[in-house]
Amino acid sequence: MSNIQIIQGGFEKELKLQFAPSIKAGFPSPAQDYLHESLDFNRDLIRNPEATFYGRVEGDSMIEAGICDGDIAVIDRSIEPCDGDIVVGYVNNEFTIKYLDLKHRKDGYIELRPANKAFKPILIHADDDFEVWGVVVWTIKNWRRY
């Protein structure tokens, strides 16, 4: 199972970028060296700073969705979760990150689906202690493992 450790974030800083706002996958433009812009998490990534949290992912149940152990999930608690969203669920006193599958509501349960065939879905019934804690809107990866 992939658990997630919740971290309160501060969103006051602007980061200076030394490259163009979009990064091309082809040949770089010589003009890119002269473009300067800033990245403001509040403006560019975070719609609701007061309802947004970070979570550090532990485990590999979401690896086929590109979410790996050690990644940081940006979680917005103000978004209404929809079928198919990647969510942070609070299940029986534990946080977990999974796909939300609402297709079985008529059958009396919902599923939290992993993105790794080695893991089984978590079935949530009415008597389970469960809430969708927030919706994952971004992930941040560390491509260089130390």
Side-chain angles (χ1 to χ4, degrees):
M1 175 171 353
S2 285
N3 292 326
I4 191 159
Q5 174 190 16
I6 304 300
I7 305 162
Q8 177 89 35
F11 300 98
E12 303 83 34
K13 289 196 170 188
E14 274 190 14
L15 303 175
K16 296 292 181 192
L17 298 180
Q18 298 297 318
F19 49 83
S22 63
I23 301 172
K24 307 291 186 238
F27 292 103
S29 165
Q32 277 187 312
D33 293 338
Y34 301 101
L35 297 175
H36 298 281
E37 196 171 307
S38 64
L39 174 65
D40 179 344
F41 278 96
N42 284 328
R43 180 191 70 217
D44 300 330
L45 303 180
I46 310 301
R47 283 188 1 202
N48 304 298
E50 57 283 339
T52 301
F53 295 81
Y54 296 118
R56 186 172 306 280
V57 176
E58 298 172 357
D60 58 358
S61 73
M62 293 300 287
I63 200 160
E64 291 169 21
I67 301 173
C68 304
D69 187 66
D71 288 353
I72 296 172
V74 180
I75 308 149
D76 190 333
R77 295 199 70 196
S78 69
I79 296 175
E80 184 72 29
C82 296
D83 185 54
D85 280 344
I86 296 176
V87 299
V88 172
Y90 189 68
V91 184
N92 300 322
N93 300 317
E94 262 187 55
F95 288 106
T96 188
I97 182 170
K98 300 282 184 285
Y99 283 109
L100 179 64
D101 184 343
L102 302 175
K103 293 178 193 85
H104 301 283
R105 274 185 160 168
K106 290 183 246 174
D107 303 320
Y109 68 96
I110 63 172
E111 291 183 355
L112 296 179
R113 294 195 151 278
N116 183 333
K117 291 176 182 85
F119 293 85
K120 293 182 179 179
I122 300 170
L123 275 57
I124 307 293
H125 296 90
D127 59 344
D128 285 318
D129 182 16
F130 169 73
E131 82 171 283
V132 173
W133 195 83
V135 176
V136 176
V137 292
W138 296 95
T139 55
I140 302 169
K141 300 186 83 52
N142 178 4
W143 289 101
R144 184 167 186 196
R145 305 287 181 194
Y146 295 96

